[in-house]
Amino acid sequence: MKKIATVLSTLLILTITFTGFAQEKRRVFQGFDGGMMIHAGYLQGHIPSIQYQAKGATFGLGGVARAHLGKHWMIGGEGYVSTLRQMKNGSYIKYGWGGFLGEF
């Protein structure tokens, strides 16, 4: 957690510094964007603890939120959750991922 805070602090300081050196004086915060996304894919893998080979189509929902800093910088985060239905008996595998974004 300390490493994440250090990285975010460094990105924020660099963003403010670079924005301050711009020839035109502008506000640092320029607005925000983002939205929800439906996604689909294919997963195949082995689950060693139960000796099971999982495979099939995944479906899920996720999203992104970004704050625009200056003319070209964006920071924010994104996250997704996918579900893989198995064995036609109500079983499923659910997994998620996400993280911080820094875009230029």
Side-chain angles (χ1 to χ4, degrees):
M1 191 65 161
K2 186 177 179 181
K3 187 175 183 178
I4 293 172
T6 303
V7 169
L8 288 177
S9 298
T10 303
L11 284 173
L12 183 62
I13 290 168
L14 287 173
T15 301
I16 292 169
T17 302
F18 290 144
T19 304
F21 285 118
Q23 291 181 357
E24 297 179 30
K25 291 293 181 184
R26 298 178 186 211
R27 294 180 304 152
V28 173
F29 179 70
Q30 299 291 323
F32 60 92
D33 72 4
M36 299 294 290
M37 292 175 252
I38 297 173
H39 63 274
Y42 185 82
L43 175 72
Q44 180 175 346
H46 183 69
I47 304 171
S49 59
I50 60 172
Q51 296 301 311
Y52 182 72
Q53 185 72 24
K55 62 182 174 180
T58 62
F59 299 97
L61 184 66
V64 63
R66 292 182 294 255
H68 296 255
L69 304 175
K71 189 173 180 179
H72 301 289
W73 290 90
M74 291 181 280
I75 61 170
E78 67 179 322
Y80 301 90
V81 174
S82 292
T83 302
L84 172 61
R85 303 219 180 268
Q86 292 290 290
M87 298 194 268
K88 298 180 182 179
N89 65 359
S91 298
Y92 62 90
I93 298 169
K94 187 174 276 195
Y95 57 95
W97 69 98
F100 294 106
L101 294 174
E103 300 180 44
F104 180 79

